[in-house]
Amino acid sequence: MSKLTLQNSFINTIPEAIISKKSIRVDVLRLDVLHPVVSGNKWFKLKKYLAEAKKLTKKVVVTFGGAFSNHIIATAAAANYYGVKSIGIIRGEEGRTPSPTLQQAAHFGMKLFYISREDYALKKLPAPFFEHYCRDDSYLINAGGYGVPGAVGATSILSECQSGNYTHICAAVGTGTTLAGLINGVQPHQKVIGINVLKNNFSIEAEIAALLSACNRNYCIHYDYHFGGYAKYTGELIQFMNTWYQQTGIPSDFVYTGKLFYAMHHLIYNDYFPAGSNVLIIHSGGLQGNASLPGGTLIF
Ligand SMILES: *Cc1c(COP(=O)(O)O)cnc(C)c1O
């Protein structure tokens, strides 16, 4: 069973030529470098859940995800780190060869159960679960880590750098938990920008609002950069990700951060940020999910 060691995050400043000399500064907080597979925001979101499961002396944490889920692998690693057993309920049939994500999750000691898409939609615990545990033994973590403890954990992303210096803090939005954590943590002079990666995700603003602690509502979500929907992509997105990597040395994933960087590049190009802005983009990781793409799609 692997044991987790984490590297330190760092900041990359994007060269002026790439952002079209717009008299703004653009930095990227590299949370993707924390760990080769357990990267990014998921680690921050999970901390409070694991601490709570431990405090309540739960026997096992249970969560849900797909075969390439960043959340599944991060939960496996975080549970391992905190010395708590973990179970992953996986959407769909068990494949002949498990995905690299699920293999890594198993290395961290996670037990995997496969359930049908219908049962998954109902978040049904499978019968074999009850052969070992009763419901009260388990600590359930929502798919994607959505919830107040997740947002509290995500606020600590801001302590990874001198975040008070920035005018804008930008991140990809899935469940919105990370964005809510950032909104809760920023100062009044700062604005949080979210790039939504799902299509027709109309309930997201209410879901984020449910996680906000104070009256700081200084945020804005952009909906036009989903490229067809969650985990969908186009040739244009892949091309952008490859060029962005060539120009900046920053790899991205096609589900979240590729869309985030594309959106940022587009917004900057269209003078969205006033001159003098000091922009921080959160690289929330997720690179392990690129393993689901056909070989050779990406140059990194
Ligand atoms: C899960 C994830 C997100 C989205 O985070 P939410 O808190 O669900 O909005 C963003 N980036 C990456 C790489 C992720 O894995």
Side-chain angles (χ1 to χ4, degrees):
M1 199 156 70
S2 321
K3 188 80 193 163
L4 190 68
T5 41
L6 293 173
Q7 305 298 314
N8 291 324
S9 63
F10 54 80
I11 293 273
N12 282 153
T13 299
I14 302 300
E16 269 187 15
I18 298 166
I19 49 174
S20 319
K21 302 194 172 62
K22 293 289 188 188
S23 306
I24 63 173
R25 181 189 169 99
V26 180
D27 283 355
V28 177
L29 174 62
R30 299 284 305 274
L31 301 181
D32 58 309
V33 297
L34 295 181
H35 186 275
V37 290
V38 189
S39 61
N41 62 336
K42 296 293 186 288
W43 175 251
F44 293 89
K45 283 202 284 185
L46 284 162
K47 288 194 289 190
K48 295 285 169 204
Y49 288 114
L50 267 299
E52 195 170 287
K54 236 184 134 124
K55 199 165 129 207
L56 297 171
T57 64
K58 295 290 184 180
K59 287 188 184 152
V60 65
V61 298
V62 179
T63 198
F64 304 84
F68 287 92
S69 161
N70 297 328
H71 171 69
I72 285 288
I73 176 70
T75 305
N80 170 297
Y81 186 86
Y82 282 86
V84 183
K85 286 192 178 139
S86 66
I87 289 179
I89 313 276
I90 310 302
R91 182 183 57 226
E93 298 281 298
E94 180 168 6
R96 220 167 285 151
T97 11
S99 68
T101 311
L102 298 182
Q103 289 179 31
Q104 296 274 0
H107 278 142
F108 283 116
M110 179 176 261
K111 196 161 168 36
L112 302 170
F113 293 117
Y114 297 82
I115 61 173
S116 68
R117 284 171 185 271
E118 295 72 39
D119 284 352
Y120 186 90
L122 300 169
K123 297 288 176 283
K124 256 193 191 171
L125 293 173
F129 170 83
F130 295 100
E131 290 167 17
H132 305 282
Y133 299 105
C134 66
R135 196 171 280 273
D136 279 351
D137 294 333
S138 64
Y139 182 86
L140 247 57
I141 302 176
N142 287 330
Y146 177 81
V148 168
V152 172
T155 298
S156 63
I157 290 174
L158 293 168
S159 312
E160 291 286 302
C161 65
Q162 304 282 331
S163 63
N165 295 343
Y166 295 95
T167 53
H168 299 78
I169 297 186
C170 313
V173 174
T175 65
T177 308
T178 302
L179 207 75
L182 296 173
I183 297 165
N184 286 337
V186 295
Q187 297 166 30
H189 68 277
Q190 301 180 294
K191 185 165 184 184
V192 176
I193 312 277
I195 304 300
N196 175 57
V197 303
L198 282 80
K199 195 176 172 177
N200 300 336
N201 193 13
F202 301 123
S203 55
I204 188 70
E205 304 240 357
E207 281 152 19
I208 290 175
L211 304 180
L212 296 182
S213 56
C215 51
N216 182 358
R217 297 289 145 97
N218 202 3
Y219 70 97
C220 170
I221 298 178
H222 294 268
Y223 293 93
D224 297 334
Y225 301 101
H226 58 68
F227 287 87
Y230 184 72
K232 298 277 197 317
Y233 61 96
T234 64
E236 189 190 1
L237 178 65
I238 298 296
Q239 171 81 51
F240 171 82
M241 288 166 64
N242 282 332
T243 307
W244 181 253
Y245 177 73
Q246 273 172 337
Q247 291 180 332
T248 64
I250 302 175
S252 54
D253 79 296
F254 74 98
V255 182
Y256 296 100
T257 56
K259 295 175 185 181
L260 169 67
F261 290 129
Y262 181 102
M264 295 308 297
H265 188 260
H266 192 245
L267 291 171
I268 291 166
Y269 190 77
N270 288 293
D271 295 321
Y272 179 83
F273 298 99
S277 295
N278 205 358
V279 180
L280 181 69
I281 308 176
I282 311 283
H283 191 322
S284 43
L287 301 178
Q288 65 89 28
N290 287 340
S292 68
L293 291 171
T297 305
L298 296 169
I299 58 169
F300 48 86

